[in-house]
Amino acid sequence: MNLQLLTDNLTNPALLFFLLGVIAVQCKSDLEIPPSSAKFISLYLLLSIGFKGGQELAHSSFSAEILGSVALGIATAVCIPFYTFFILRRKFTVYDAGAVAAAYGSVSAVTFVTAGSFLEAQQLHYSGHMVAVMALMEVPAIIVGVILIRKFATEKNAIGSMSHVLKHSVTNGSVLLILGSLCIGFMANEQQAEGIRPFTNDLFKGFLAIFLLDMGLVSGKKMQDFIKNGWFAVAFSIFIPLVNGCVVACLSGYFVQDLGNRFVLSVLAASASYIAVPAAMKMAVPKANPGLFLPMALAITFPLNITIGMPLYLYLVRFF
């Protein structure tokens, strides 16, 4: 792997703010981001990437690149929860295995945002339709996870109805905001978009740094107790995302040509949802333990991807 690429990523201000949050927890500092501010920033990030993606999509024509990206994205979101479920069943209950599998088959919007920042530092960029691909990858993984739980669970009445799961998955705040912002960005003309460009573009990196600082604080609080009590979960959280990301990085060239788009698909395959899936599983599978899949996705897989994963996936995308 290119050592300079890894060094550049490790000195990225956004990543360093994340590490600052982890260090603050270890030092028992009273540093914190007010919950209301953290929620506003997360809404801002989703709105911004959706709107900018819609603007880019408005200037794109339908092509094999778009079709390939959508096909690979959805196939990835279906395959990952299916095969990981049977790995997880070696140690976890049916409910926990299904919830974790769904989380790892789904995607992390924050990892997607960080990947965009990483690409920009490498003077690369991804196409606007990748925002739509990201949103489309949320729901299939949840559906597969619930279907697997329904098939293998002994207590069928412990699982919510599929119609409720589908409705909640699509109307989940993060998914709805991304898709809605994408549509608004697509419909707005260049002159109209220019009016809010300072908000959606110029402030983005600053808000991302604050958000990752908050993510570092949250991760630092969850990581220590989790590592003490779940070595199988820790190993899964490290190796499975790297395998997923590397496989998609190598195979994506058969579906997609653009390097930036291939990289984003790899990152999405390697990421794990800690917003949409936990919200859906809380309603659909109340027996699933959020104290298991939330730390796996947020405290281990997320920092793994933004430190080691992204330089590795970009290297493989360029090599293959």
Side-chain angles (χ1 to χ4, degrees), residues 83-291:
Y83 93 85
T84 54
F85 175 82
F86 295 101
I87 295 174
L88 292 160
R89 278 292 289 125
R90 298 170 66 88
K91 295 289 184 180
F92 294 168
T93 66
V94 170
Y95 307 104
D96 288 335
V100 173
Y104 278 81
S106 188
V107 297
S108 162
V110 179
T111 308
F112 178 89
V113 174
T114 312
S117 178
F118 175 80
L119 274 181
E120 189 176 330
Q122 305 302 316
Q123 298 182 329
L124 295 170
H125 107 295
Y126 60 87
S127 303
H129 69 265
M130 293 307 300
V131 180
V133 173
M134 176 190 65
L136 290 171
M137 289 176 70
E138 289 272 20
V139 179
I142 296 172
I143 295 172
V144 172
V146 173
I147 289 174
L148 288 168
I149 294 172
R150 279 181 172 276
K151 180 172 177 59
F152 292 97
T154 53
E155 300 176 53
K156 306 298 182 184
N157 59 355
I159 308 164
S161 69
M162 185 61 73
S163 61
H164 282 98
V165 174
L166 285 171
K167 180 181 177 183
H168 190 77
S169 300
V170 174
T171 59
N172 175 272
S174 61
V175 177
L176 189 63
L177 182 56
I178 290 172
L179 288 175
S181 301
L182 182 78
C183 293
I184 293 169
F186 182 79
M187 292 185 291
N189 61 41
E190 191 69 31
Q191 186 177 1
Q192 292 166 332
E194 191 64 36
I196 65 169
R197 197 177 302 278
F199 178 73
T200 57
N201 291 45
D202 297 347
L203 299 176
F204 187 84
K205 287 188 176 180
F207 275 122
L208 176 60
I210 299 172
F211 186 78
L212 288 177
L213 172 63
D214 184 55
M215 289 290 98
L217 293 168
V218 174
S219 297
K221 291 173 184 175
K222 293 180 179 293
M223 193 177 296
Q224 192 170 2
D225 291 337
F226 178 71
I227 290 176
K228 288 179 181 177
N229 296 293
W231 283 109
F232 173 79
V234 172
F236 180 95
S237 308
I238 293 172
F239 292 110
I240 293 298
L242 290 175
V243 169
N244 293 338
C246 290
V247 168
V248 173
C250 296
L251 295 181
S252 58
Y254 294 102
F255 300 85
V256 180
Q257 298 303 312
D258 184 84
L259 286 180
N261 294 342
R262 289 181 59 196
F263 170 77
V264 169
L265 283 166
S266 305
V267 171
L268 290 175
S271 70
S273 171
Y274 49 84
I275 299 175
V277 170
M281 288 297 163
K282 183 178 180 181
M283 180 202 68
V285 192
K287 284 197 170 186
N289 178 16

